[in-house]
Amino acid sequence: MTIKNLARLTAFENVVCYVHSGRRSTPLPVVDIGAMQHENPVAKFNVAQQVGKVAMDSGFLYIENHSVSAQLIDEVYQYARRFFALDSDEKLRYYIGNSQKTKFIRYS
């Protein structure tokens, strides 16, 4: 992780790292998915179970040992900044609801 990413993550944690759970806020859970990169089916199953439980309990989580490079993460942030800097009309050109080429499923 680059220093830039670490600073951004720290700022992000200060703003949104708490989720509402009952009457009190709790820190977001961290799930290590490193076992998904190995051949052990039991370890993969355990990770899947943990992700499922966390998703059901809080709906949000941090994932570690995901093997996504810091360079790719930086590039995604750059593309996101450029997209959200566009004016509304330009952003609407990319709205999936206007797409007639593909069908899509809405999740809620």
Side-chain angles (χ1 to χ4, degrees):
M1 175 172 280
T2 65
I3 297 296
K4 198 161 81 176
N5 278 341
L6 185 58
R8 184 170 36 245
L9 180 60
T10 302
F12 179 78
E13 287 174 345
N14 290 337
V15 176
V16 296
C17 79
Y18 293 93
V19 293
H20 185 69
S21 175
R23 288 191 210 148
R24 61 186 183 84
S25 292
T26 57
L28 288 176
V30 177
V31 177
D32 183 339
I33 65 165
M36 299 301 277
Q37 299 171 28
H38 304 290
E39 296 299 318
N40 183 339
V42 174
K44 288 181 177 183
F45 179 80
N46 290 338
V47 170
Q49 290 287 355
Q50 187 178 9
V51 169
K53 180 178 180 349
V54 168
M56 294 296 290
D57 291 348
S58 71
F60 297 94
L61 64 145
Y62 286 116
I63 295 176
E64 62 183 8
N65 292 321
H66 48 68
S67 75
V68 178
S69 72
Q71 178 183 352
L72 179 58
I73 292 169
D74 283 340
E75 288 174 15
V76 169
Y77 274 110
Q78 289 171 14
Y79 281 108
R81 272 192 222 93
R82 285 194 294 202
F83 176 78
F84 288 107
L86 297 172
D87 63 46
S88 294
D89 289 337
E90 182 67 17
K91 285 187 276 197
L92 282 173
R93 290 184 53 218
Y94 301 99
Y95 173 55
I96 194 168
N98 294 334
S99 176
Q100 295 182 14
K101 293 181 181 178
T102 60
K103 293 184 178 183
F104 66 96
I105 299 171
R106 293 178 190 224
Y107 296 95
S108 59

